[in-house]
């Protein structure tokens, strides 16, 4: 069996042909180079055709696609906020029309769903039936696998964990992205440092090397390693939020593995034990003793492997 997995990101399309056990038989990567709307759809089709025509590959049985947004499974359309023109884009129909056969199953899922599928197939949660993958990057989202099934919800928005309510009183600051993201996403961490710095005109630590508005999450972690007081304050708050958010998810869903991934974990990998200790204060005690907190073992490739595994799963068990 051979399938194609496609990971559409904000800057590129990565695609690979996988065999049934996850070996990569062929791979293509194409930069978006500012492509929008139909251009991105055409780029995906071009990559599919290149892989299907490869002399080393034959007999493609299914295609899985990972997109950075919401996949409306009932309509087969996609909302991808970082791709102009993809507000309700009919990606599934466009791919099916382009390949010209009903013998190849086409499946599309959100990035957070593909993250958890990738981790279950080839990462640290291999073979597990109950896994949560918390993706912490620019925002925060969760891929959720329970009893071997991916959760989708009424309108396919399961896992929008950035909007978890973890801090009171309510603030209008939470409107753009949610409470959890406001404090503990990559953008949120940078924002919290900027807010504190605005109130400390005499600060002369490592974050003072840039203007306040230029401070990034990466800068905060670098300053934290140097013992910077402001960075420690910001990341202590993020650890509290990650712990509380994880505790809520563990108490509700009782996973065996809780995986942290995304660009922030990265530098935050070394904080996972502290996050677990914080979560244990809040979470259901039996569930917390049973779950393992861990960093993704295939971060950077989780979405691509997840798209490949999606293709295999859906071709075997179509909805």
């Amino acid at each position: 069996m051979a399938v194609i997995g496609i990971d559409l990101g904000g800057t590129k399309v990565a695609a690979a042909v996988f065999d049934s056990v996850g070996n990569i038989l062929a791979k293509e990567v194409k930069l978006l180079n500012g492509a929008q709307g139909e251009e991105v759809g055409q780029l995906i089709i071009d990559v599919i055709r290149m892989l299907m025509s490869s002399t080393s590959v034959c007999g493609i049985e299914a295609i899985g696609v990972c997109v950075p947004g919401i996949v409306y499974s009932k309509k087969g359309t996609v909302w991808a906020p970082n791709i102009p023109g993809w507000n309700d884009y009919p990606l599934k129909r466009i791919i099916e029309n382009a390949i010209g056969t009903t013998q190849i199953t086409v499946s599309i899922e959100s990035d957070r769903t593909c993250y958890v599928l990738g981790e279950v197939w080839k990462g640290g949660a291999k073979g597990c039936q109950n896994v949560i993958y918390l993706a912490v990057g620019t925002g925060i989202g969760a891929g959720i696998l329970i009893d071997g099934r991916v959760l989708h919800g009424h309108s396919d928005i399961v896992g929008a964990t950035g909007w978890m309510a973890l801090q009171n009183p309510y603030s209008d600051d939470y409107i753009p992205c949610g409470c959890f993201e406001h404090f503990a996403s990559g953008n949120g961490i940078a924002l919290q440092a900027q807010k504190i710095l605005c109130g400390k005109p005499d600060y002369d630590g490592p974050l003072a090397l840039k203007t306040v508005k230029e401070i990034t999450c990466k800068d905060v972690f670098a300053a934290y390693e140097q013992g910077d007081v402001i960075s420690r304050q910001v990341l202590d708050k993020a650890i509290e939020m990650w712990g509380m958010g994880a505790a809520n998810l563990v108490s509700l869903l009782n996973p065996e593995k809780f995986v942290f991934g995304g660009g922030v974990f990265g530098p935050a990998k070394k904080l996972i034990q502290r996050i677990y200790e914080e979560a244990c204060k809040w979470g259901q005690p039996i569930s917390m003793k049973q779950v393992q907190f861990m960093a993704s073992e295939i971060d950077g490739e989780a979405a691509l492997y997840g798209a490949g595994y999606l293709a295999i799963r859906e071709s075997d068990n179509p909805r």
Side-chain angles (χ1 to χ4, degrees):
M1 180 183 194
V3 302
I4 294 176
I6 300 168
D7 173 23
L8 173 62
T11 60
K12 69 182 187 299
V13 177
V17 178
F18 296 92
D19 66 16
S20 60
V21 294
N23 296 312
I24 293 179
L25 307 178
K27 188 173 182 179
E28 293 285 346
V29 177
K30 296 292 182 182
L31 297 178
L32 295 186
N33 288 326
Q36 303 180 13
E38 295 287 348
E39 296 173 324
V40 179
Q42 185 60 51
L43 188 60
I44 291 172
I45 291 167
D46 291 344
V47 169
I48 290 171
R49 287 174 173 161
M50 291 172 68
L51 290 174
M52 292 181 72
S53 64
S54 171
T55 56
S56 62
V57 177
C58 61
I60 298 297
E61 297 183 31
I63 298 171
V65 185
C66 168
V67 298
I70 298 172
V71 179
Y72 298 112
S73 58
K74 296 180 180 65
K75 298 189 296 180
T77 61
V78 171
W79 171 74
N82 295 327
I83 301 177
W86 278 36
N87 295 322
D88 197 27
Y89 187 70
L91 181 60
K92 188 172 190 292
R93 175 177 58 80
I94 285 171
I95 293 174
E96 289 174 338
N97 289 344
I99 60 178
T101 175
T102 59
Q103 301 304 308
I104 298 176
T105 303
V106 177
S107 306
I108 306 173
E109 285 282 7
S110 69
D111 48 4
R112 52 185 178 250
T113 290
C114 288
Y115 292 148
V116 73
L117 289 177
E119 204 70 37
V120 166
W121 196 29
K122 301 298 287 185
K126 188 180 296 182
C128 294
Q129 295 291 300
N130 297 277
V131 181
I132 296 171
Y133 187 112
L134 191 71
V136 185
T138 303
I140 302 178
I144 303 171
L145 185 80
I146 298 299
D147 298 334
R149 296 177 63 88
V150 172
L151 300 189
H152 289 92
H154 169 64
S155 54
D156 299 286
I157 312 179
V158 161
T161 46
W163 271 262
M164 291 179 75
L166 302 175
Q167 176 84 20
N168 69 353
Y170 173 79
S171 169
D172 287 345
D173 289 341
Y174 307 155
I175 291 174
C177 61
C179 172
F180 195 6
E181 279 192 19
H182 180 71
F183 289 100
S185 66
N187 282 355
I189 287 168
L191 177 63
Q192 298 311 311
Q194 292 168 9
K195 283 185 174 182
I196 295 170
L197 286 166
C198 284
K200 294 187 177 295
D202 297 328
Y203 169 82
D204 61 355
L207 294 176
L209 296 175
K210 290 185 174 181
T211 65
V212 170
K213 289 185 177 181
E214 291 176 325
I215 299 298
T216 66
C217 178
K218 183 178 179 180
D219 297 325
V220 175
F221 275 99
Y224 179 82
E225 292 297 320
Q226 299 176 54
D228 178 60
V229 174
I230 289 178
S231 296
R232 185 164 62 245
Q233 180 182 343
V234 170
L235 291 179
D236 283 350
K237 182 64 176 180
I239 289 167
E240 179 184 54
M241 288 287 175
W242 290 325
M244 292 173 69
N248 289 343
L249 291 168
V250 169
S251 299
L252 285 169
L253 298 168
N254 190 208
E256 52 200 302
K257 295 285 181 72
F258 196 106
V259 183
F260 292 86
V264 173
F265 283 89
K269 285 181 181 179
K270 61 185 66 178
L271 303 176
I272 287 179
Q273 181 58 36
R274 287 186 60 192
I275 296 168
Y276 176 73
E277 292 167 0
E278 181 67 31
C280 285
K281 299 175 185 176
W282 302 92
Q284 203 284 333
I286 297 174
S287 296
M288 288 304 309
K289 288 177 182 176
Q290 294 174 343
V291 70
Q292 179 186 353
F293 279 27
M294 59 179 291
S296 171
E297 292 188 359
I298 52 170
D299 206 29
E301 295 290 332
L304 182 58
Y305 277 105
Y309 191 40
L310 169 69
I312 290 174
R313 283 167 58 99
E314 291 297 311
S315 64
D316 289 340
N317 301 288
R319 292 184 192 173

